Amino acid sequence: MKYTQLGRTGLKVSRLVLGTMNFGPQTDEADSHAIMDAALASGINYFDTANVYGWGENKGRTESIIGNWFAQGGDRRDKVVLATKVYGNMGAEGEAWPNHDKLSALNIRRAVDASLKRLQTDYIDVYQFHHVDRSTPFEEIWQAIDTLVQQGKILYVGSSNFPGYKIAQANEIAARRGGTIGLVSEQCLYNLSERRAEMEVIPAAQEYGLGVIPWSPLHGGLLGGVIKKEVTGGRRSSGRTADSLTDPAVRAQVQAYEDLLDKHGIEPGEAALAWLLTRPGVTGPIVGPRTAEQLDSALRAVELELSEELLTSLDEIFPGPGPSPEAFAW
């Protein structure tokens, strides 16, 4: 495994981030534990989750699965850089109660204690804001975070799904307060097919020293060889991926992508991950394996070297927006 610094921090993290969103809803606890064991054995030390994972009536289930894995010992917790998130309402469906979601000081305090209990740990390495809270000023948010850092409950803070201007606003207010390190990472939707983050989010992250953690690196399976799987009778696409392929232009684009990689003898999903690892500012993409085989495929991407010719061809199939402001101005 290869490692890098998380943004401007001294924290070393693996170039792949283990996403755990499938643990519980799609992967049972025993298989989830086996995947985490395999990930750790391969050198992946950055695990990402969220308090709402498990979804519906099972919110928090994913954190509990991870906590039970930590409880098995073997230095599991000591070896893992643990990241979780706060924002979503943790109340029962249809029974949302005021102040049980978003980023008020009250909810942050409540949410971190609940996550620590489920995760069976006394600290969280990277505590992430799952979304922008337009109702809570950053002065309040940072005051709550400062308290948690002083208490030793969290070490660093990251954002997720923040626009560039909110990254700037958050860190400028943190700097004015003094003594607050501010955001050190941003999780954003970023992949070959969805490159809008290159306009504002990634430049802002680089300017303020945030590591970029792309989520949905295969764009919901669209970049994972979906057309080839249809032809060979493999797992068929569904949901947004299937809907996207009904657009002739998208289908032609994905077909060109798969044909290109077939010519080079490279698996599409591995190429999509390897491409992200070449992008400026990217710490490492989140991979969310449902099976051990999917984890093995993701690990191969770390060692995959994409030629300049191939990178140019990928840009021709999936052109980015270009730098800001030139992308929308002269």
PDB file of all heavy atoms in Angstrom, residues 83-106:
ATOM      1  N   ALA A  83     -12.711   7.751  10.483  1.00  0.00           N
ATOM      2  CA  ALA A  83     -13.471   8.939  10.120  1.00  0.00           C
ATOM      3  C   ALA A  83     -14.952   8.614  10.137  1.00  0.00           C
ATOM      4  O   ALA A  83     -15.386   7.602   9.575  1.00  0.00           O
ATOM      5  CB  ALA A  83     -13.063   9.431   8.731  1.00  0.00           C
ATOM      6  N   THR A  84     -15.738   9.466  10.787  1.00  0.00           N
ATOM      7  CA  THR A  84     -17.185   9.333  10.715  1.00  0.00           C
ATOM      8  C   THR A  84     -17.784  10.714  10.482  1.00  0.00           C
ATOM      9  O   THR A  84     -17.060  11.707  10.377  1.00  0.00           O
ATOM     10  CB  THR A  84     -17.766   8.644  11.964  1.00  0.00           C
ATOM     11  OG1 THR A  84     -19.141   8.300  11.713  1.00  0.00           O
ATOM     12  CG2 THR A  84     -17.677   9.524  13.204  1.00  0.00           C
ATOM     13  N   LYS A  85     -19.116  10.769  10.376  1.00  0.00           N
ATOM     14  CA  LYS A  85     -19.762  12.019   9.966  1.00  0.00           C
ATOM     15  C   LYS A  85     -20.963  12.334  10.846  1.00  0.00           C
ATOM     16  O   LYS A  85     -21.572  11.437  11.446  1.00  0.00           O
ATOM     17  CB  LYS A  85     -20.230  11.925   8.509  1.00  0.00           C
ATOM     18  CG  LYS A  85     -19.161  11.487   7.524  1.00  0.00           C
ATOM     19  CD  LYS A  85     -19.703  11.488   6.103  1.00  0.00           C
ATOM     20  CE  LYS A  85     -18.754  10.785   5.158  1.00  0.00           C
ATOM     21  NZ  LYS A  85     -18.826   9.319   5.293  1.00  0.00           N
ATOM     22  N   VAL A  86     -21.287  13.634  10.855  1.00  0.00           N
ATOM     23  CA  VAL A  86     -22.448  14.140  11.582  1.00  0.00           C
ATOM     24  C   VAL A  86     -23.232  15.073  10.670  1.00  0.00           C
ATOM     25  O   VAL A  86     -22.664  15.809   9.890  1.00  0.00           O
ATOM     26  CB  VAL A  86     -22.006  14.901  12.861  1.00  0.00           C
ATOM     27  CG1 VAL A  86     -21.037  16.041  12.532  1.00  0.00           C
ATOM     28  CG2 VAL A  86     -23.219  15.454  13.619  1.00  0.00           C
ATOM     29  N   TYR A  87     -24.531  15.007  10.749  1.00  0.00           N
ATOM     30  CA  TYR A  87     -25.451  15.939  10.078  1.00  0.00           C
ATOM     31  C   TYR A  87     -26.855  15.354  10.045  1.00  0.00           C
ATOM     32  O   TYR A  87     -27.810  15.987  10.446  1.00  0.00           O
ATOM     33  CB  TYR A  87     -25.031  16.276   8.639  1.00  0.00           C
ATOM     34  CG  TYR A  87     -25.984  17.262   7.972  1.00  0.00           C
ATOM     35  CD1 TYR A  87     -25.794  18.627   8.129  1.00  0.00           C
ATOM     36  CD2 TYR A  87     -27.061  16.826   7.200  1.00  0.00           C
ATOM     37  CE1 TYR A  87     -26.661  19.537   7.544  1.00  0.00           C
ATOM     38  CE2 TYR A  87     -27.938  17.718   6.609  1.00  0.00           C
ATOM     39  CZ  TYR A  87     -27.734  19.077   6.774  1.00  0.00           C
ATOM     40  OH  TYR A  87     -28.600  19.971   6.199  1.00  0.00           O
ATOM     41  N   GLY A  88     -26.982  14.119   9.548  1.00  0.00           N
ATOM     42  CA  GLY A  88     -28.303  13.533   9.348  1.00  0.00           C
ATOM     43  C   GLY A  88     -29.054  13.313  10.651  1.00  0.00           C
ATOM     44  O   GLY A  88     -28.467  13.156  11.719  1.00  0.00           O
ATOM     45  N   ASN A  89     -30.383  13.297  10.537  1.00  0.00           N
ATOM     46  CA  ASN A  89     -31.239  13.086  11.699  1.00  0.00           C
ATOM     47  C   ASN A  89     -31.213  11.614  12.107  1.00  0.00           C
ATOM     48  O   ASN A  89     -31.463  10.735  11.291  1.00  0.00           O
ATOM     49  CB  ASN A  89     -32.673  13.521  11.380  1.00  0.00           C
ATOM     50  CG  ASN A  89     -33.502  13.700  12.640  1.00  0.00           C
ATOM     51  OD1 ASN A  89     -33.665  12.782  13.427  1.00  0.00           O
ATOM     52  ND2 ASN A  89     -34.014  14.906  12.832  1.00  0.00           N
ATOM     53  N   MET A  90     -30.887  11.370  13.359  1.00  0.00           N
ATOM     54  CA  MET A  90     -30.773  10.006  13.855  1.00  0.00           C
ATOM     55  C   MET A  90     -32.047   9.504  14.511  1.00  0.00           C
ATOM     56  O   MET A  90     -32.087   8.386  15.026  1.00  0.00           O
ATOM     57  CB  MET A  90     -29.606   9.911  14.840  1.00  0.00           C
ATOM     58  CG  MET A  90     -28.249  10.108  14.198  1.00  0.00           C
ATOM     59  SD  MET A  90     -27.868   8.836  12.984  1.00  0.00           S
ATOM     60  CE  MET A  90     -27.614   7.418  14.067  1.00  0.00           C
ATOM     61  N   GLY A  91     -33.106  10.322  14.494  1.00  0.00           N
ATOM     62  CA  GLY A  91     -34.366   9.885  15.058  1.00  0.00           C
ATOM     63  C   GLY A  91     -35.038   8.846  14.184  1.00  0.00           C
ATOM     64  O   GLY A  91     -34.680   8.657  13.019  1.00  0.00           O
ATOM     65  N   ALA A  92     -36.012   8.143  14.748  1.00  0.00           N
ATOM     66  CA  ALA A  92     -36.751   7.145  13.987  1.00  0.00           C
ATOM     67  C   ALA A  92     -37.462   7.815  12.818  1.00  0.00           C
ATOM     68  O   ALA A  92     -37.815   8.993  12.869  1.00  0.00           O
ATOM     69  CB  ALA A  92     -37.761   6.440  14.895  1.00  0.00           C
ATOM     70  N   GLU A  93     -37.673   7.049  11.751  1.00  0.00           N
ATOM     71  CA  GLU A  93     -38.327   7.587  10.570  1.00  0.00           C
ATOM     72  C   GLU A  93     -39.702   8.135  10.943  1.00  0.00           C
ATOM     73  O   GLU A  93     -40.501   7.475  11.616  1.00  0.00           O
ATOM     74  CB  GLU A  93     -38.479   6.499   9.508  1.00  0.00           C
ATOM     75  CG  GLU A  93     -37.165   6.024   8.918  1.00  0.00           C
ATOM     76  CD  GLU A  93     -36.414   7.141   8.218  1.00  0.00           C
ATOM     77  OE1 GLU A  93     -36.995   7.766   7.322  1.00  0.00           O
ATOM     78  OE2 GLU A  93     -35.244   7.371   8.576  1.00  0.00           O
ATOM     79  N   GLY A  94     -39.968   9.353  10.505  1.00  0.00           N
ATOM     80  CA  GLY A  94     -41.258   9.972  10.794  1.00  0.00           C
ATOM     81  C   GLY A  94     -41.363  10.561  12.179  1.00  0.00           C
ATOM     82  O   GLY A  94     -42.400  11.105  12.549  1.00  0.00           O
ATOM     83  N   GLU A  95     -40.264  10.472  12.966  1.00  0.00           N
ATOM     84  CA  GLU A  95     -40.286  10.980  14.334  1.00  0.00           C
ATOM     85  C   GLU A  95     -39.122  11.947  14.576  1.00  0.00           C
ATOM     86  O   GLU A  95     -38.548  11.994  15.651  1.00  0.00           O
ATOM     87  CB  GLU A  95     -40.224   9.827  15.335  1.00  0.00           C
ATOM     88  CG  GLU A  95     -41.404   8.857  15.241  1.00  0.00           C
ATOM     89  CD  GLU A  95     -41.312   7.732  16.264  1.00  0.00           C
ATOM     90  OE1 GLU A  95     -40.478   7.838  17.184  1.00  0.00           O
ATOM     91  OE2 GLU A  95     -42.059   6.748  16.124  1.00  0.00           O
ATOM     92  N   ALA A  96     -38.769  12.695  13.559  1.00  0.00           N
ATOM     93  CA  ALA A  96     -37.672  13.652  13.707  1.00  0.00           C
ATOM     94  C   ALA A  96     -38.005  14.675  14.782  1.00  0.00           C
ATOM     95  O   ALA A  96     -39.120  15.184  14.856  1.00  0.00           O
ATOM     96  CB  ALA A  96     -37.424  14.352  12.376  1.00  0.00           C
ATOM     97  N   TRP A  97     -37.031  14.970  15.614  1.00  0.00           N
ATOM     98  CA  TRP A  97     -37.206  15.882  16.725  1.00  0.00           C
ATOM     99  C   TRP A  97     -36.253  17.056  16.547  1.00  0.00           C
ATOM    100  O   TRP A  97     -35.132  16.876  16.080  1.00  0.00           O
ATOM    101  CB  TRP A  97     -36.926  15.162  18.049  1.00  0.00           C
ATOM    102  CG  TRP A  97     -37.372  15.903  19.268  1.00  0.00           C
ATOM    103  CD1 TRP A  97     -36.572  16.536  20.167  1.00  0.00           C
ATOM    104  CD2 TRP A  97     -38.707  16.096  19.717  1.00  0.00           C
ATOM    105  NE1 TRP A  97     -37.322  17.112  21.159  1.00  0.00           N
ATOM    106  CE2 TRP A  97     -38.648  16.862  20.909  1.00  0.00           C
ATOM    107  CE3 TRP A  97     -39.968  15.706  19.245  1.00  0.00           C
ATOM    108  CZ2 TRP A  97     -39.779  17.240  21.622  1.00  0.00           C
ATOM    109  CZ3 TRP A  97     -41.095  16.082  19.949  1.00  0.00           C
ATOM    110  CH2 TRP A  97     -40.993  16.847  21.123  1.00  0.00           C
ATOM    111  N   PRO A  98     -36.665  18.265  16.903  1.00  0.00           N
ATOM    112  CA  PRO A  98     -35.767  19.411  16.742  1.00  0.00           C
ATOM    113  C   PRO A  98     -34.425  19.198  17.442  1.00  0.00           C
ATOM    114  O   PRO A  98     -34.361  18.613  18.527  1.00  0.00           O
ATOM    115  CB  PRO A  98     -36.544  20.569  17.389  1.00  0.00           C
ATOM    116  CG  PRO A  98     -37.978  20.159  17.276  1.00  0.00           C
ATOM    117  CD  PRO A  98     -37.982  18.667  17.434  1.00  0.00           C
ATOM    118  N   ASN A  99     -33.363  19.669  16.795  1.00  0.00           N
ATOM    119  CA  ASN A  99     -31.997  19.631  17.335  1.00  0.00           C
ATOM    120  C   ASN A  99     -31.374  18.237  17.338  1.00  0.00           C
ATOM    121  O   ASN A  99     -30.358  18.019  18.003  1.00  0.00           O
ATOM    122  CB  ASN A  99     -31.939  20.217  18.754  1.00  0.00           C
ATOM    123  CG  ASN A  99     -32.454  21.642  18.795  1.00  0.00           C
ATOM    124  OD1 ASN A  99     -32.068  22.465  17.968  1.00  0.00           O
ATOM    125  ND2 ASN A  99     -33.334  21.931  19.742  1.00  0.00           N
ATOM    126  N   HIS A 100     -31.978  17.308  16.589  1.00  0.00           N
ATOM    127  CA  HIS A 100     -31.385  15.977  16.468  1.00  0.00           C
ATOM    128  C   HIS A 100     -30.740  15.778  15.101  1.00  0.00           C
ATOM    129  O   HIS A 100     -30.515  14.644  14.671  1.00  0.00           O
ATOM    130  CB  HIS A 100     -32.443  14.888  16.724  1.00  0.00           C
ATOM    131  CG  HIS A 100     -32.691  14.624  18.168  1.00  0.00           C
ATOM    132  ND1 HIS A 100     -33.250  15.562  19.012  1.00  0.00           N
ATOM    133  CD2 HIS A 100     -32.437  13.537  18.947  1.00  0.00           C
ATOM    134  CE1 HIS A 100     -33.339  15.061  20.235  1.00  0.00           C
ATOM    135  NE2 HIS A 100     -32.849  13.837  20.223  1.00  0.00           N
ATOM    136  N   ASP A 101     -30.451  16.876  14.433  1.00  0.00           N
ATOM    137  CA  ASP A 101     -29.736  16.784  13.171  1.00  0.00           C
ATOM    138  C   ASP A 101     -28.943  18.069  12.939  1.00  0.00           C
ATOM    139  O   ASP A 101     -28.941  18.982  13.768  1.00  0.00           O
ATOM    140  CB  ASP A 101     -30.689  16.507  12.011  1.00  0.00           C
ATOM    141  CG  ASP A 101     -31.679  17.636  11.763  1.00  0.00           C
ATOM    142  OD1 ASP A 101     -31.710  18.623  12.532  1.00  0.00           O
ATOM    143  OD2 ASP A 101     -32.446  17.535  10.785  1.00  0.00           O
ATOM    144  N   LYS A 102     -28.227  18.110  11.842  1.00  0.00           N
ATOM    145  CA  LYS A 102     -27.437  19.249  11.396  1.00  0.00           C
ATOM    146  C   LYS A 102     -26.277  19.556  12.353  1.00  0.00           C
ATOM    147  O   LYS A 102     -25.772  18.660  13.044  1.00  0.00           O
ATOM    148  CB  LYS A 102     -28.337  20.443  11.124  1.00  0.00           C
ATOM    149  CG  LYS A 102     -29.375  20.120  10.033  1.00  0.00           C
ATOM    150  CD  LYS A 102     -30.167  21.329   9.616  1.00  0.00           C
ATOM    151  CE  LYS A 102     -31.156  20.938   8.508  1.00  0.00           C
ATOM    152  NZ  LYS A 102     -31.996  22.074   8.096  1.00  0.00           N
ATOM    153  N   LEU A 103     -25.838  20.817  12.384  1.00  0.00           N
ATOM    154  CA  LEU A 103     -24.551  21.122  13.020  1.00  0.00           C
ATOM    155  C   LEU A 103     -24.648  22.126  14.167  1.00  0.00           C
ATOM    156  O   LEU A 103     -23.693  22.865  14.429  1.00  0.00           O
ATOM    157  CB  LEU A 103     -23.559  21.631  11.967  1.00  0.00           C
ATOM    158  CG  LEU A 103     -23.302  20.693  10.785  1.00  0.00           C
ATOM    159  CD1 LEU A 103     -22.333  21.319   9.795  1.00  0.00           C
ATOM    160  CD2 LEU A 103     -22.778  19.335  11.258  1.00  0.00           C
ATOM    161  N   SER A 104     -25.762  22.158  14.855  1.00  0.00           N
ATOM    162  CA  SER A 104     -25.808  22.982  16.061  1.00  0.00           C
ATOM    163  C   SER A 104     -24.831  22.423  17.084  1.00  0.00           C
ATOM    164  O   SER A 104     -24.483  21.236  17.053  1.00  0.00           O
ATOM    165  CB  SER A 104     -27.218  22.989  16.657  1.00  0.00           C
ATOM    166  OG  SER A 104     -27.532  21.712  17.194  1.00  0.00           O
ATOM    167  N   ALA A 105     -24.381  23.267  18.007  1.00  0.00           N
ATOM    168  CA  ALA A 105     -23.482  22.797  19.060  1.00  0.00           C
ATOM    169  C   ALA A 105     -24.127  21.667  19.853  1.00  0.00           C
ATOM    170  O   ALA A 105     -23.455  20.703  20.246  1.00  0.00           O
ATOM    171  CB  ALA A 105     -23.098  23.957  19.980  1.00  0.00           C
ATOM    172  N   LEU A 106     -25.430  21.776  20.059  1.00  0.00           N
ATOM    173  CA  LEU A 106     -26.141  20.745  20.815  1.00  0.00           C
ATOM    174  C   LEU A 106     -26.099  19.409  20.087  1.00  0.00           C
ATOM    175  O   LEU A 106     -25.789  18.369  20.686  1.00  0.00           O
ATOM    176  CB  LEU A 106     -27.591  21.177  21.046  1.00  0.00           C
ATOM    177  CG  LEU A 106     -28.504  20.151  21.729  1.00  0.00           C
ATOM    178  CD1 LEU A 106     -27.959  19.753  23.090  1.00  0.00           C
ATOM    179  CD2 LEU A 106     -29.923  20.710  21.862  1.00  0.00           C
TER     180      LEU A 106
END
